[in-house]
PDB file of all heavy atoms in Angstrom:
ATOM      1  N   VAL D  26      -2.015  14.033  24.320  1.00 92.00           N
ATOM      2  CA  VAL D  26      -0.716  14.627  24.544  1.00 92.00           C
ATOM      3  C   VAL D  26       0.131  14.571  23.294  1.00 92.00           C
ATOM      4  O   VAL D  26       0.775  15.536  22.852  1.00 92.00           O
ATOM      5  CB  VAL D  26       0.023  14.032  25.743  1.00 92.00           C
ATOM      6  CG1 VAL D  26       1.464  14.625  25.873  1.00 92.00           C
ATOM      7  CG2 VAL D  26      -0.739  14.305  27.006  1.00 92.00           C
ATOM      8  N   GLU D  27       0.181  13.389  22.719  1.00 93.00           N
ATOM      9  CA  GLU D  27       0.982  13.155  21.500  1.00 93.00           C
ATOM     10  C   GLU D  27       0.482  14.095  20.367  1.00 93.00           C
ATOM     11  O   GLU D  27       1.295  14.685  19.641  1.00 93.00           O
ATOM     12  CB  GLU D  27       0.857  11.666  21.070  1.00 93.00           C
ATOM     13  CG  GLU D  27       1.614  11.347  19.812  1.00 93.00           C
ATOM     14  CD  GLU D  27       1.342   9.952  19.281  1.00 93.00           C
ATOM     15  OE1 GLU D  27       0.613   9.195  19.985  1.00 93.00           O
ATOM     16  OE2 GLU D  27       1.818   9.615  18.210  1.00 93.00           O
ATOM     17  N   MET D  28      -0.817  14.157  20.145  1.00 95.00           N
ATOM     18  CA  MET D  28      -1.367  14.938  19.100  1.00 95.00           C
ATOM     19  C   MET D  28      -1.103  16.464  19.315  1.00 95.00           C
ATOM     20  O   MET D  28      -0.884  17.203  18.387  1.00 95.00           O
ATOM     21  CB  MET D  28      -2.871  14.675  18.920  1.00 95.00           C
ATOM     22  CG  MET D  28      -3.201  13.316  18.357  1.00 95.00           C
ATOM     23  SD  MET D  28      -2.481  13.037  16.666  1.00 95.00           S
ATOM     24  CE  MET D  28      -0.993  12.097  17.070  1.00 95.00           C
ATOM     25  N   THR D  29      -1.159  16.853  20.573  1.00 95.00           N
ATOM     26  CA  THR D  29      -0.891  18.271  20.936  1.00 95.00           C
ATOM     27  C   THR D  29       0.591  18.626  20.542  1.00 95.00           C
ATOM     28  O   THR D  29       0.832  19.691  19.972  1.00 95.00           O
ATOM     29  CB  THR D  29      -1.110  18.540  22.405  1.00 95.00           C
ATOM     30  OG1 THR D  29      -2.467  18.272  22.737  1.00 95.00           O
ATOM     31  CG2 THR D  29      -0.799  20.000  22.738  1.00 95.00           C
ATOM     32  N   GLU D  30       1.484  17.709  20.880  1.00 95.00           N
ATOM     33  CA  GLU D  30       2.904  17.884  20.514  1.00 95.00           C
ATOM     34  C   GLU D  30       3.109  17.910  19.011  1.00 95.00           C
ATOM     35  O   GLU D  30       3.807  18.715  18.462  1.00 95.00           O
ATOM     36  CB  GLU D  30       3.750  16.826  21.166  1.00 95.00           C
ATOM     37  CG  GLU D  30       3.781  16.907  22.705  1.00 95.00           C
ATOM     38  CD  GLU D  30       4.480  15.729  23.304  1.00 95.00           C
ATOM     39  OE1 GLU D  30       4.731  14.698  22.609  1.00 95.00           O
ATOM     40  OE2 GLU D  30       4.777  15.746  24.523  1.00 95.00           O
ATOM     41  N   LEU D  31       2.372  16.979  18.311  1.00 96.00           N
ATOM     42  CA  LEU D  31       2.504  16.945  16.842  1.00 96.00           C
ATOM     43  C   LEU D  31       1.935  18.258  16.225  1.00 96.00           C
ATOM     44  O   LEU D  31       2.613  18.803  15.292  1.00 96.00           O
ATOM     45  CB  LEU D  31       1.749  15.779  16.301  1.00 96.00           C
ATOM     46  CG  LEU D  31       1.685  15.641  14.776  1.00 96.00           C
ATOM     47  CD1 LEU D  31       3.124  15.395  14.225  1.00 96.00           C
ATOM     48  CD2 LEU D  31       0.818  14.478  14.299  1.00 96.00           C
ATOM     49  N   ALA D  32       0.865  18.776  16.771  1.00 96.00           N
ATOM     50  CA  ALA D  32       0.286  20.013  16.238  1.00 96.00           C
ATOM     51  C   ALA D  32       1.286  21.143  16.403  1.00 96.00           C
ATOM     52  O   ALA D  32       1.511  22.002  15.508  1.00 96.00           O
ATOM     53  CB  ALA D  32      -1.015  20.360  16.982  1.00 96.00           C
ATOM     54  N   THR D  33       1.933  21.237  17.549  1.00 96.00           N
ATOM     55  CA  THR D  33       2.925  22.290  17.817  1.00 96.00           C
ATOM     56  C   THR D  33       4.064  22.194  16.772  1.00 96.00           C
ATOM     57  O   THR D  33       4.552  23.209  16.254  1.00 96.00           O
ATOM     58  CB  THR D  33       3.463  22.173  19.227  1.00 96.00           C
ATOM     59  OG1 THR D  33       2.419  22.334  20.133  1.00 96.00           O
ATOM     60  CG2 THR D  33       4.539  23.240  19.487  1.00 96.00           C
ATOM     61  N   ILE D  34       4.555  20.966  16.565  1.00 96.00           N
ATOM     62  CA  ILE D  34       5.671  20.764  15.620  1.00 96.00           C
ATOM     63  C   ILE D  34       5.255  21.225  14.200  1.00 96.00           C
ATOM     64  O   ILE D  34       5.974  21.890  13.534  1.00 96.00           O
ATOM     65  CB  ILE D  34       6.096  19.310  15.588  1.00 96.00           C
ATOM     66  CG1 ILE D  34       6.780  18.952  16.951  1.00 96.00           C
ATOM     67  CG2 ILE D  34       7.033  18.971  14.445  1.00 96.00           C
ATOM     68  CD1 ILE D  34       7.026  17.448  17.105  1.00 96.00           C
ATOM     69  N   LEU D  35       4.112  20.748  13.734  1.00 96.00           N
ATOM     70  CA  LEU D  35       3.675  21.019  12.391  1.00 96.00           C
ATOM     71  C   LEU D  35       3.413  22.525  12.172  1.00 96.00           C
ATOM     72  O   LEU D  35       3.581  23.066  11.048  1.00 96.00           O
ATOM     73  CB  LEU D  35       2.451  20.161  12.021  1.00 96.00           C
ATOM     74  CG  LEU D  35       2.612  18.686  12.021  1.00 96.00           C
ATOM     75  CD1 LEU D  35       1.316  17.951  11.628  1.00 96.00           C
ATOM     76  CD2 LEU D  35       3.798  18.256  11.112  1.00 96.00           C
ATOM     77  N   GLU D  36       2.917  23.200  13.192  1.00 96.00           N
ATOM     78  CA  GLU D  36       2.641  24.596  13.102  1.00 96.00           C
ATOM     79  C   GLU D  36       3.946  25.452  13.127  1.00 96.00           C
ATOM     80  O   GLU D  36       3.977  26.497  12.495  1.00 96.00           O
ATOM     81  CB  GLU D  36       1.671  25.036  14.224  1.00 96.00           C
ATOM     82  CG  GLU D  36       0.296  24.456  14.059  1.00 96.00           C
ATOM     83  CD  GLU D  36      -0.606  24.783  15.203  1.00 96.00           C
ATOM     84  OE1 GLU D  36      -0.083  25.493  16.166  1.00 96.00           O
ATOM     85  OE2 GLU D  36      -1.750  24.422  15.217  1.00 96.00           O
ATOM     86  N   ALA D  37       4.890  25.025  13.918  1.00 96.00           N
ATOM     87  CA  ALA D  37       6.072  25.872  14.164  1.00 96.00           C
ATOM     88  C   ALA D  37       7.248  25.580  13.203  1.00 96.00           C
ATOM     89  O   ALA D  37       8.116  26.389  12.974  1.00 96.00           O
ATOM     90  CB  ALA D  37       6.603  25.688  15.637  1.00 96.00           C
ATOM     91  N   ALA D  38       7.311  24.373  12.616  1.00 97.00           N
ATOM     92  CA  ALA D  38       8.448  23.984  11.804  1.00 97.00           C
ATOM     93  C   ALA D  38       8.489  24.751  10.493  1.00 97.00           C
ATOM     94  O   ALA D  38       7.414  25.091   9.910  1.00 97.00           O
ATOM     95  CB  ALA D  38       8.381  22.495  11.486  1.00 97.00           C
ATOM     96  N   ASP D  39       9.678  24.972  10.022  1.00 96.00           N
ATOM     97  CA  ASP D  39       9.868  25.571   8.643  1.00 96.00           C
ATOM     98  C   ASP D  39      11.014  24.819   8.014  1.00 96.00           C
ATOM     99  O   ASP D  39      11.497  23.823   8.513  1.00 96.00           O
ATOM    100  CB  ASP D  39      10.142  27.056   8.717  1.00 96.00           C
ATOM    101  CG  ASP D  39      11.364  27.405   9.553  1.00 96.00           C
ATOM    102  OD1 ASP D  39      12.328  26.614   9.597  1.00 96.00           O
ATOM    103  OD2 ASP D  39      11.387  28.505  10.157  1.00 96.00           O
TER     104      ASP D  39
END
Side-chain angles (χ1 to χ4, degrees):
V26 172
E27 178 188 357
M28 290 298 99
T29 301
E30 294 173 347
L31 178 63
T33 299
I34 291 171
L35 297 182
E36 291 174 1
D39 59 30

